[in-house]
Amino acid sequence: MLERYIQAIHTDDAGAETLAETRERLKGYFAPGATRRMTQLGLVIGAALGKLNPMADDTLVYASTFAESHSLESYLDSFPTASPTLFQTSIHPSGAQQGLIGRQRSLGEVFSHSGVDQMPAQSLLTALLAPAARVLLCGGEERGDWLVNYSSAQDRTFGYALVLTRDSGPAPLGRLALVPTEETGRMKPAEWFDLLHHRRALDGPFALGWRLQLNWS
């Protein structure tokens, strides 16, 4: 069994918000002018990570299936005069990098994951196996427009960030564990986010060969 304790968590269900609405809502978490070129996913994850006070020895695990879908759509729509800025911000793992670069924060290690059904389990497994005392597990999706019709974007924007430690400490918010099993399960990224956002407990199949135990204090 692999386990860690949740010391802090921040989630943001931006849903159908526009980029302008999200920027206005979250601009207070960034330096003046910093949000002008940030993506919606970068804003959501950047604000969540900022509340966790990243440290130089932390390991960061980032997970996103489609990443900056709206930015990618805007980049493709900008042809034949393609925008280099939109190209830069549509590349994985831009969503996690934008806020960290703006705050000039360094980290020990960074692991980036992409995928669909198995991605939540893969990213959590990476976080549980990391040797660092403190791991930041974050991820999310950016609402797309026409890419949704091709199953290449989410239809909602959301983001999350957690601090996970090996030691429970005096007052953990919860506990996460992966237990080997012969059961099979598939949890999609949006389902994983909803589990965290609503702080629901779970003891059941999570992915191929893994059972998730999630408890809240």
Side-chain angles (χ1 to χ4, degrees):
M1 179 179 68
L2 302 168
E3 67 176 359
R4 277 190 181 257
Y5 293 90
I6 303 171
Q7 301 297 341
I9 178 171
H10 292 283
T11 60
D12 189 336
D13 190 357
E17 275 186 356
T18 65
L19 171 57
E21 290 170 338
T22 303
R23 181 182 291 122
E24 179 64 25
R25 178 170 60 87
L26 298 178
K27 65 182 182 181
Y29 293 101
F30 303 91
T35 63
R36 188 167 59 90
R37 292 188 177 182
M38 291 182 69
T39 65
Q40 190 173 24
L41 185 60
L43 288 164
V44 169
I45 294 181
L49 280 175
K51 297 173 184 177
L52 303 183
N53 189 30
M55 300 178 184
D57 293 332
D58 289 347
T59 288
L60 177 75
V61 180
Y62 173 68
S64 182
T65 299
F66 302 114
E68 276 81 1
S69 301
H70 178 71
S71 296
L72 178 58
E73 289 174 335
S74 298
Y75 170 66
L76 294 174
D77 289 340
S78 70
F79 279 82
T81 55
S83 166
T85 300
L86 289 173
F87 173 73
Q88 183 180 9
T89 55
S90 67
I91 298 175
H92 203 69
S94 169
Q97 291 176 328
Q98 292 173 56
L100 293 169
I101 291 173
R103 297 185 179 99
Q104 299 183 350
R105 292 295 179 91
S106 61
L107 296 166
E109 292 182 303
V110 176
F111 296 95
S112 180
H113 286 269
S114 184
V116 187
D117 294 350
Q118 304 293 333
M119 186 185 67
Q122 291 170 348
S123 60
L124 179 56
L125 182 61
T126 301
L128 297 180
L129 288 172
R134 223 176 76 122
V135 176
L136 308 180
L137 174 61
C138 66
E141 300 294 337
E142 185 173 280
R143 182 176 66 90
D145 184 12
W146 53 268
L147 279 175
V148 176
N149 299 327
Y150 297 93
S151 299
S152 296
Q154 281 280 353
D155 59 0
R156 59 189 279 218
T157 298
F158 58 84
Y160 61 89
L162 302 85
V163 173
L164 302 177
T165 62
R166 293 196 182 280
D167 297 328
S168 64
L173 298 180
R175 172 183 169 273
L176 279 164
L178 286 178
V179 182
T181 180
E182 295 182 358
E183 301 172 280
T184 60
R186 301 193 192 288
M187 181 172 290
K188 295 182 178 180
E191 297 171 333
W192 170 234
F193 169 78
D194 288 335
L195 198 67
L196 298 173
H197 183 60
H198 298 289
R199 301 200 180 189
R200 296 174 183 148
L202 179 68
D203 185 0
F206 188 49
L208 182 64
W210 292 104
R211 184 180 188 87
L212 172 66
Q213 293 179 348
L214 171 57
N215 302 301
W216 299 96
S217 301

